[in-house]
């Protein structure tokens, strides 16, 4: 197929040229005397994206799933109880991992389309007088449904119950795109990955860990080896790794952080919000419905969109790919066949969003979904026009 293909899945995301050039480097000596001058500032700068001052960053050659495993096995002992909500494929998978690793999970099932049920968590934590719950798991952004949860609310519930459990957040599809405040929310472990907001190829699990969690790791009895925080920290302290690091990915991460800081994190978040809002305006103009059940849950990185009854979203996504080289996300698990997803995170601008939206419109038209062609694109254009960043509006 000639021309550019459209990658609008919620990860892996588009990799900016600067990052692609940065990873395309000759292999280097992982024990070189000048490596720490590169890695030590890198570890510190990663923390800025998590908004952590006192935590410690960890970079494991892995995908985000390995980050989940690192969080659990480093801090918990077999049989430990964790509190978690299930309302999408990713929250489901993290819970499944807990069970397979031998932890007891207090699962709160919530409707797919809603976020963490903070009130129910608050009640469970209050009722847990003997502090059997050792960790609370929160997916900051449930990628399957396009729902962002209230981590500050969960922190408040822990504080009000005077509960010492660790707070873990899955920020794989939010960190570096949606505001995340590790220090303010006193998150103990935040997990991310390279291939979403960090705009890199897949292959790095990126974590930030609080001092409280690091202290608890000394007593945690779960078996672990590859993902052991202590092994990693001992060698990271001098700027090296306990096994061969993917140095090209570290170079890519440097380039990614440089891009994020040059734009300014707050501007990155505003850009994601503005682009997401354009997608939402388009969805509404098409007469379709988001999976996210209320505005405060709508994600700025991914929109899961219901097709009308009688239309198959798998066929829809397949057609977009085959006919136009447009990659959209499929519906996962409970919402399979019913929703399709537009990923709008990472290296993205207005023109790319309009490409995605017009590609969706072409596909809607081809599949016979009733809607007015051009309506979503027009709504997005109006939104972009109305919300031009101030400096551009002034120059015009
Ligand atoms: C993508 C994703 C993961 C899994 O990450 P992998 O890199 O695929 O292992 C976990 N949680 C969320 C919320 C995600 O979006």
């Amino acid at each position: 197929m000639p021309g550019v293909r459209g990658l609008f899945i919620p990860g892996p995301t588009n990799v900016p040229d600067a990052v692609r050039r940065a990873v395309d480097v000759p292999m280097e000596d992982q024990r070189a005397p000048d490596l720490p001058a590169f890695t030590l500032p890198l570890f510190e700068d990663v923390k800025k994206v998590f908004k952590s001052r006192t935590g410690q960053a960890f970079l494991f050659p892995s995908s985000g799933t390995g980050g989940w495993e690192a969080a659990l096995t480093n801090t918990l002992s077999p049989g430990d109880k964790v509190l978690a909500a299930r309302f999408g494929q990713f929250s489901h998978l993290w819970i499944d991992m807990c069970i397979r690793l031998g932890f007891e999970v207090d699962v709160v099932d919530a409707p797919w389309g809603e976020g963490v049920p903070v009130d129910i968590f608050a009640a469970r934590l209050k009722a847990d007088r003997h502090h059997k719950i050792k960790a609370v798991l929160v997916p900051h952004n449930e990628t399957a449904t396009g729902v962002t949860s209230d981590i500050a609310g969960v922190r408040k519930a822990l504080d009000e119950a005077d509960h010492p459990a660790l707070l873990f957040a899955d920020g794989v599809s939010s960190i570096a795109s949606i505001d995340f405040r590790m220090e303010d929310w006193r998150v103990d472990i935040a997990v991310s990955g390279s291939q979403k907001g960090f705009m890199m190829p897949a292959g790095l699990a990126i974590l930030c860990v609080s001092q409280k969690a690091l202290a608890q790791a000394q007593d945690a009895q779960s078996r672990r080896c590859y993902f052991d925080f202590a092994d990693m920290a001992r060698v990271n302290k001098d700027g090296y790794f306990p096994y061969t690091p993917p140095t090209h990915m570290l170079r890519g991460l440097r380039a990614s952080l440089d891009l994020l800081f040059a734009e300014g994190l707050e501007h990155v978040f505003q850009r994601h919000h503005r682009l997401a809002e354009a997608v939402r305006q388009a969805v509404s103009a098409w007469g379709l419905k988001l999976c996210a059940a209320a505005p405060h849950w709508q994600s700025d990185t991914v929109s899961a969109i219901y097709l009308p009854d009688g239309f198959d979203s798998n066929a829809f996504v397949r057609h977009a790919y085959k006919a136009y080289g447009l990659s959209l996300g499929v519906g996962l698990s409970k919402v399979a066949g019913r929703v399709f997803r537009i990923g709008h995170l990472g290296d993205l601008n207005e023109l790319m969003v309009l490409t995605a939206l017009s590609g969706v419109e072409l596909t809607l038209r081809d599949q016979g979904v009733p809607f007015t062609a051009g309506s979503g694109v027009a709504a997005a254009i109006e939104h972009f026009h109305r919300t031009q960043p101030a400096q551009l509006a002034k120059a015009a």
Side-chain angles (χ1 to χ4, degrees), residues 332-344:
L332 298 172
S333 178
K334 246 190 198 180
V335 288
R338 293 165 60 211
V339 313
F340 71 94
R341 293 174 299 151
I342 301 176
H344 34 81

Side-chain angles (χ1 to χ4, degrees), residues 10-12 62-68 89-91 93-94 139-144 170-174 191-196 202-205 301-302 341 345:
S62 159
S63 76
T65 303
W68 281 349
Q89 179 67 357
F90 293 92
S91 44
L93 287 174
W94 204 6
H140 184 217
N141 192 72
E142 174 49 81
T143 317
D170 173 351
V172 179
S173 63
S174 60
V191 178
S192 194
S194 51
Q195 80 277 20
K196 295 184 186 173
L204 270 190
T301 60
V302 52
R341 293 174 299 151
L345 74 163

Side-chain angles (χ1 to χ4, degrees), residues 62-383:
S62 159
S63 76
T65 303
W68 281 349
E69 184 159 336
L72 299 170
T73 57
N74 275 284
T75 55
L76 302 174
S77 298
D80 273 359
K81 189 162 166 179
V82 306
L83 175 63
R86 178 167 48 204
F87 48 81
Q89 179 67 357
F90 293 92
S91 44
H92 160 71
L93 287 174
W94 204 6
I95 287 169
D96 181 59
M97 175 185 276
C98 288
I99 295 167
R100 288 160 67 173
L101 289 172
F103 307 115
E104 188 192 321
V105 193
D106 185 353
V107 180
V108 179
D109 274 296
W112 286 42
E114 296 187 5
V116 169
V118 174
D119 294 350
I120 299 178
F121 270 28
R124 298 274 170 111
L125 290 165
K126 272 213 179 98
D128 182 36
R129 289 209 183 75
H130 299 293
H131 299 162
K132 291 257 188 271
I133 296 170
K134 300 299 179 197
V136 179
L137 273 48
V138 181
H140 184 217
N141 192 72
E142 174 49 81
T143 317
T145 55
V147 160
T148 304
S149 280
D150 177 14
I151 299 188
V154 177
R155 165 45 66 197
K156 191 156 162 270
L158 278 157
D159 288 350
E160 284 176 3
D162 206 9
H163 202 296
L166 296 171
L167 175 57
F168 296 169
D170 173 351
V172 179
S173 63
S174 60
I175 289 170
S177 309
I178 298 174
D179 194 14
F180 185 89
R181 304 181 184 188
M182 174 128 185
E183 198 83 28
D184 287 357
W185 298 335
R186 300 197 328 279
V187 171
D188 290 296
I189 302 186
V191 178
S192 194
S194 51
Q195 80 277 20
K196 295 184 186 173
F198 284 95
M199 310 174 284
M200 292 171 60
L204 270 190
I206 304 171
L207 289 86
C208 197
V209 181
S210 73
Q211 294 303 323
K212 178 179 166 185
L214 286 174
Q216 222 148 300
Q218 296 177 1
D219 301 320
Q221 298 298 315
S222 292
R223 284 174 187 258
R224 57 188 183 271
C225 175
Y226 186 78
F227 290 118
D228 191 80
F229 286 161
D231 288 351
M232 188 58 103
R234 198 177 310 116
V235 190
N236 274 180
K237 175 170 58 59
D238 300 318
Y240 297 101
F241 287 78
Y243 36 71
T244 315
T247 47
H248 62 293
M249 291 290 281
L250 302 180
R251 298 288 170 186
L253 180 58
R254 181 69 264 167
S256 156
L257 296 178
D258 290 346
L259 287 173
L260 291 169
F261 298 152
E263 185 177 354
L265 279 182
E266 302 312 311
H267 286 113
V268 171
F269 304 147
Q270 284 164 20
R271 171 169 55 86
H272 277 81
H273 180 70
R274 180 164 174 267
L275 298 177
E277 198 51 41
V279 172
R280 292 190 280 264
Q281 303 263 335
V283 171
S284 155
W286 294 329
L288 298 182
K289 269 185 62 180
L290 288 169
C291 188
H296 66 280
W297 280 316
Q298 289 167 352
S299 165
D300 282 345
T301 60
V302 52
S303 294
I305 301 156
Y306 279 108
L307 282 182
D309 287 343
F311 293 92
D312 172 11
S313 70
N314 287 322
F316 181 85
V317 170
R318 212 165 31 240
H319 180 76
Y321 184 79
K322 279 194 171 163
Y324 304 114
L326 171 67
S327 286
L328 300 166
V330 292
L332 298 172
S333 178
K334 246 190 198 180
V335 288
R338 293 165 60 211
V339 313
F340 71 94
R341 293 174 299 151
I342 301 176
H344 34 81
L345 74 163
D347 187 39
L348 200 74
N349 61 26
E350 292 89 341
L351 298 188
M352 293 165 81
V353 168
L354 291 173
T355 298
L357 296 176
S358 49
V360 168
E361 292 205 359
L362 264 172
T363 311
L364 289 168
R365 185 75 187 81
D366 291 350
Q367 297 280 298
V369 178
F371 84 111
T372 306
S375 58
V377 171
I381 288 173
E382 279 307 313
H383 170 73

